[in-house]
Amino acid sequence: MRLTALLPVALIALTSCTPHERSPDEIREQTARATSTAARDAKAVAQGVVQGIKQQRTININRASADDLKSLPGIDDDAAGRIIDHRPYSDSEDLVKRHVISRAEYNRIAGKIEAR
């Protein structure tokens, strides 16, 4: 009696664990999806690397455009305009000395700017 009850369970377990035969078309389709995903992921990684490199470079406050300056944390249109209007700078500290931006704003961007 117990053997009769276990036989269907054993058959279900065996059939669900056997590998399925796949047609060549299914294999090609799966390969195409995997290749597409890999290409998309590689592009995302490359864009991340480019963005990381841009974030590590310093911005020359004597030559930077308003858009470059606005990419700095806490620098808006007005601050970028003031920085451009008070050029040239001999040192990045001149931004605070000349009261172009506050000390707090300067502290946020100090490692990302330079005056050349």
Side-chain angles (χ1 to χ4, degrees):
M1 181 78 164
R2 289 191 340 198
L3 182 61
T4 309
L6 290 176
L7 187 59
V9 173
L11 285 174
I12 291 172
L14 284 174
T15 57
S16 65
C17 293
T18 58
H20 299 289
E21 292 293 322
R22 297 186 312 171
S23 72
D25 289 336
E26 288 179 66
I27 294 171
R28 278 192 284 275
E29 207 172 286
Q30 185 178 13
T31 302
R33 281 193 305 269
T35 302
S36 173
T37 301
R40 185 187 66 237
D41 292 348
K43 183 177 179 181
V45 168
Q47 288 173 340
V49 168
V50 168
Q51 185 177 9
I53 289 171
K54 285 181 180 178
Q55 288 177 352
Q56 289 180 353
R57 69 178 171 98
T58 57
I59 293 177
N60 180 357
I61 57 176
N62 284 320
R63 293 183 176 255
S65 69
D67 287 335
D68 289 338
L69 293 169
K70 288 189 295 186
S71 73
L72 296 166
I75 302 299
D76 57 10
D77 288 327
D78 294 335
R82 287 192 311 270
I83 292 170
I84 291 170
D85 291 343
H86 288 86
R87 287 178 179 165
Y89 303 99
S90 59
D91 183 13
S92 62
E93 279 276 336
D94 286 350
L95 292 172
V96 176
K97 291 176 188 173
R98 296 185 194 176
H99 306 286
V100 177
I101 60 174
S102 69
R103 172 60 68 182
E105 289 172 313
Y106 177 77
N107 288 341
R108 280 195 298 266
I109 65 172
K112 299 176 181 174
I113 61 170
E114 64 183 354
R116 285 186 265 146

